[in-house]
Amino acid sequence: MKIAVLPGDGIGTEIVAEAVRVLQALELPIEMESALVGGAAYEAHGHPLPESTLKLAMDADAVLFGAVGDWKYDKLDRPLRPEQAILGLRKHLGLFANFRPAICYPELVGASSLKPELISGLDILIIRELTGDIYFGQPRGRRTATDGHFPGAEEAFDTMRYSKPEIERIAHVAFQAARKRSKKVTSVDKANVLETFQFWKDVVTEVHAQYPDVELEHMYVDNAAMQLVRAPKKFDVVVTGNMFGDILSDEASMLTGSIGMLPSASLNTKNQGLYEPSHGSAPDIAGKNLANPLATILSAAMMLRFTFNQTEAADRIETAVSSVLASGLRTTDIWSEGTTKVSTRGMGDAVVAAITKTITKG
Ligand code: IPM
Ligand code: MG
């Protein structure tokens, strides 16, 4: 089991360090190697995704990724900005299927901005297509420009596109995931306005014919954004394109009150995967030992489950996280009256201790 560890920027280094300690506590035959990515790699090597980092990731079975980005890089040419590192990894590794679960932990019901009855027991799986759409359209850029900021440019454009095979494969992923859950898929589009998404809708409908046991519903993205806050529990598996998935997954994560809790997995056809928390690099709290490492720790559990088929080890991590929450430990982002505030490291320590206990018990 070879893991490329790419902590990245901001809180990335702190949260990934805790996930690494958790993986080590499992005492499995795991090899881990780290490399710089994002702004940190730009500072050291002049590029957010250096050749050596990309190679490490491509040669590994899985990538454990922290987060990239900082406002201070906003003035760089686009190809040199930290975000290009994650986009490059997705593209080069062909990580087209992005799983973003939004689960409301019973202990954290009170942390949501929605009423408890709306979100208690919430368990949605957003499946976002990750290597197509307007994110990777051609051509891409502003006209008549040579530098990143084009003071004299008259227009800017990005193209939205999807090919049939791209839609088909993500649709299969969604229907198969639904078979293991409550057998319902909501496909989110904007077919009323965009040709790309009329095509999306048609292709998803065509693929659905192979899954008569799964219910398929189509929903426009604006309506989906509204329904997510009106009655989120009506959703189960949501499948959508890259851009809508970016937006809706942030919305869904916040329903649970704790974006700091949500892991994600991005897989290719070979089951190689990149695992990262759903949240960003949070430069404002970086280096302060405040960030919640649980999303990254739970991403490591997803890695064990999806890429390595180590169900038991994955369960062990998830059980440890639940027991730590049940014991009342909270990082600042999920803290509430009556619970105990811990640091990033303190939370990592607690999860490691809970795992070690289960190992000793056998
Ligand atoms: C995400 C992030 C990325 C995206 C950025 C950092 C490029 O927002 O993973 O959701 O837009 O996909
Ligand atoms: Mg996003």
Side-chain angles (χ1 to χ4, degrees):
M1 295 186 255
K2 265 173 73 179
I3 305 176
V5 178
L6 310 182
D9 306 323
I11 58 173
T13 43
E14 298 159 80
I15 54 180
V16 166
E18 299 314 314
V20 165
R21 291 203 305 137
V22 167
L23 283 168
Q24 284 164 342
L26 292 167
E27 296 178 358
L28 294 168
I30 294 176
E31 258 177 68
M32 293 192 253
E33 200 177 324
S34 304
L36 296 176
V37 76
Y42 172 75
E43 308 273 354
H45 305 293
H47 197 280
L49 184 58
E51 215 40 65
S52 54
T53 301
L54 179 59
K55 184 168 183 330
L56 183 74
M58 296 191 56
D59 291 344
D61 302 304
V63 178
L64 181 64
F65 192 90
V68 289
D70 194 311
W71 309 119
K72 71 180 179 207
Y73 302 114
D74 283 1
K75 290 266 176 295
L76 286 177
D77 282 1
R78 184 163 304 280
L80 296 178
R81 292 196 205 166
E83 290 78 9
Q84 293 303 310
I86 184 68
L87 296 174
L89 283 166
R90 289 171 183 168
K91 198 67 188 173
H92 284 289
L93 274 75
L95 305 167
F96 73 97
N98 183 212
F99 290 75
R100 297 195 166 182
I103 293 168
C104 185
Y105 285 79
E107 294 88 357
L108 303 180
V109 172
S112 174
S113 46
L114 296 197
K115 294 193 196 99
E117 62 269 26
L118 280 184
I119 48 112
S120 109
L122 183 76
D123 181 357
I124 303 178
L125 177 59
I126 298 195
I127 299 182
R128 168 186 176 195
E129 199 291 329
L130 206 55
T131 51
D133 203 348
I134 197 163
Y135 270 58
F136 293 100
Q138 290 292 335
R140 197 160 175 260
R142 298 185 201 188
R143 281 191 206 266
T144 66
T146 48
D147 88 21
H149 287 275
F150 318 115
E154 293 295 323
E155 65 173 355
F157 59 96
D158 301 272
T159 48
M160 182 175 267
R161 62 160 291 286
Y162 262 121
S163 70
K164 191 168 183 194
E166 283 173 326
I167 303 169
E168 284 171 340
R169 66 181 180 178
I170 197 72
H172 281 292
V173 167
F175 290 124
Q176 278 160 24
R179 275 195 172 151
K180 296 186 196 143
R181 298 171 53 104
S182 66
K183 302 203 171 149
K184 183 183 165 191
V185 171
T186 305
S187 169
V188 173
D189 63 59
K190 190 70 187 174
N192 51 345
V193 177
L194 302 170
E195 213 43 56
T196 315
F197 275 90
Q198 180 61 55
F199 186 52
W200 171 281
K201 186 172 179 177
D202 294 347
V203 175
V204 171
T205 305
E206 207 177 297
V207 173
H208 178 232
Q210 297 171 47
Y211 300 87
D213 53 321
V214 178
E215 183 194 336
L216 171 64
E217 155 190 64
H218 299 281
M219 199 180 278
Y220 297 141
V221 63
D222 48 349
N223 187 24
M226 178 183 74
Q227 299 302 336
L228 266 175
V229 288
R230 196 184 71 89
K233 283 193 261 184
K234 292 225 167 117
F235 293 95
D236 192 63
V237 173
V238 175
V239 65
T240 189
N242 205 342
M243 169 100 128
F244 299 156
D246 178 44
I247 300 166
L248 293 181
S249 63
D250 259 32
E251 186 187 4
S253 70
M254 208 50 219
L255 298 176
T256 71
S258 45
I259 193 166
M261 295 292 302
L262 300 174
S264 78
S266 307
L267 299 174
N268 65 17
T269 50
K270 296 179 289 187
N271 239 26
Q272 248 182 330
L274 182 145
Y275 299 83
E276 58 173 327
S278 282
H279 59 73
S281 57
D284 51 322
I285 59 161
K288 296 186 178 156
N289 203 14
L290 282 175
N292 186 346
L294 292 179
T296 318
I297 290 171
L298 291 166
S299 299
M302 276 184 117
M303 172 191 292
L304 291 169
R305 197 181 297 285
F306 285 14
T307 292
F308 297 121
N309 247 318
Q310 297 273 341
T311 315
E312 226 178 287
D315 286 346
R316 219 179 277 159
I317 296 181
E318 286 161 2
T319 309
V321 168
S322 295
S323 77
V324 165
L325 289 175
S327 74
L329 300 188
R330 304 280 187 273
T331 40
T332 321
D333 58 314
I334 51 174
W335 180 84
S336 61
E337 211 63 58
T339 60
T340 312
K341 207 177 272 187
V342 289
S343 64
T344 309
R345 181 36 70 101
M347 187 58 102
D349 284 341
V351 176
V352 167
I355 285 177
T356 320
K357 223 192 300 174
T358 61
I359 291 178
T360 345
K361 273 199 216 143

